[in-house]
Amino acid sequence: MKAGLVVLCLGYVLSQFFRAFLAVLSVDLGRDIGATPEDLAFASGLWFLIFAAMQLPVGWALDRVGPRLTAAVLLLVGGAGGAAMFALSSTPFHIAIAMGLIGVGCSPVLMASYYIFAREFPPARFATLAAVMLGVGSVGNLVASYPTALAVELMGWRATMGTLAVFSAAIALGIWFSVHDPKRVETEHRGSVLDLLKEPALWAILPLMLVAYAPSAATRGLWAGPYLSDIFGLSTTQIGTATLIMGAAMIAGTFAYGPLDRILGTRKWVIFGGNALGTVGLVLMCLWVDSAVWLSVVLMAAIGFLGASFPVIMAHGRAFVPPHLVGRGMTLLNLFGIGGVGLAQFVTGRIHAATVDISPTAPYTAIFGFFAVTQAIGCVIYLFSRDSVD
């Protein structure tokens, strides 16, 4: 099982890469195939929404057929196939379809790992194990920054994506040969996602899950590139360096959040405190949107660090999920987390298009303001949640 978890972690590296690399390619895709920031916002949003929509069938598959078959087949067909299509794209529409396919391929990888953690390890270790998987897998976030910018400069974005298609196929085959499915839960109880939605405790958690990951993921994965280029005139490699810093901060935040629930004896207030401070960081981005490039990079890094509460929110929600519905419970929470990013990408794409003619700073002030308001609302609703520590 350890070898299987290592390979699943490599698959999650790819998943993190694919949700973040468009920010670095924005200049090249605009020049070569005429992709605008709105086009890339649509393509990125499609990745997240299709990824989110896949969580329901993925949850059913994890409970019924296991993580091995679910992750291997989807990553091979969607991940490798989508990356190959991206490499051959000639229009922004092709890019959008390719990103949708890649979303299908990446959709089961992290949840397959979390399913194994939930079934094979003590509940008290779930948040830490989930954070470690998320943190190590987030190396893909770093690869999607300066290293990708360098690869694109050396061999072009098409060759870079073709290489990633080969890597995706190899990892899918590795999952097939190394992952072993946990023993199925034998129970007379039957259930579905509808049964999970009858649990009142989840309804105070799901709204924050919807908005907590969106500011850091959308900024790192898309808006950092156009923002730093339009406001400060940074080049592709300079944008790569800035997003590398933000990506490193997101990884550090994941490892910092992981053990805090056990150290402090609370999940609720760890999650609330981090997201409330993240909201403050977004407000400061609005106020100082064009003050200095170093300040913007520092604030983006802070937003990335504080926005890494995903595994702890997942652990909080998991505490209210019965054992025979673990797969569907994990994927329901993930649907909200990833779906929130997809919705945010579509909304912020519209915001950018509606404000781009006002002034250079107006689109980005409005985008960061949108993230601040939605995160603040999520925090307020989350105050009514029940705490849980295993």
Side-chain angles (χ1 to χ4, degrees), residues 238-294:
Q238 289 172 323
I239 291 170
T241 301
T243 53
L244 179 67
I245 294 170
M246 184 176 183
M250 292 170 73
I251 293 175
T254 300
F255 283 113
Y257 271 109
L260 281 181
D261 61 340
R262 286 187 292 137
I263 294 172
L264 300 179
T266 175
R267 285 192 182 124
K268 176 177 178 176
W269 298 110
V270 167
I271 294 166
F272 177 82
N275 282 277
L277 289 174
T279 303
V280 173
L282 288 163
V283 171
L284 294 178
M285 280 293 291
C286 295
L287 297 175
W288 299 333
V289 68
D290 61 347
S291 294
V293 64
W294 69 267

Side-chain angles (χ1 to χ4, degrees), residues 189-352:
H189 296 289
R190 295 291 181 264
S192 67
V193 171
L194 294 178
D195 295 302
L196 293 171
L197 293 176
K198 295 175 184 176
E199 171 54 64
L202 290 176
W203 282 103
I205 299 170
L206 292 175
L208 183 61
M209 180 60 102
L210 185 71
V211 300
Y213 182 46
S216 56
T219 301
R220 169 63 192 87
L222 177 64
W223 291 115
Y227 166 60
L228 295 171
S229 175
D230 292 347
I231 303 301
F232 300 108
L234 268 59
S235 67
T236 298
T237 51
Q238 289 172 323
I239 291 170
T241 301
T243 53
L244 179 67
I245 294 170
M246 184 176 183
M250 292 170 73
I251 293 175
T254 300
F255 283 113
Y257 271 109
L260 281 181
D261 61 340
R262 286 187 292 137
I263 294 172
L264 300 179
T266 175
R267 285 192 182 124
K268 176 177 178 176
W269 298 110
V270 167
I271 294 166
F272 177 82
N275 282 277
L277 289 174
T279 303
V280 173
L282 288 163
V283 171
L284 294 178
M285 280 293 291
C286 295
L287 297 175
W288 299 333
V289 68
D290 61 347
S291 294
V293 64
W294 69 267
L295 181 59
S296 293
V297 173
V298 168
L299 285 174
M300 287 194 300
I303 291 166
F305 181 92
L306 294 166
S309 59
F310 180 92
V312 191
I313 302 177
M314 184 73 73
H316 192 183
R318 179 205 166 280
F320 305 107
V321 174
H324 67 288
L325 291 176
V326 163
R328 275 163 277 197
M330 295 293 91
T331 52
L332 175 66
L333 289 159
N334 202 33
L335 185 156
F336 274 77
I338 300 300
V341 183
L343 292 173
Q345 297 289 53
F346 283 120
V347 173
T348 53
R350 296 290 184 89
I351 290 173
H352 186 279

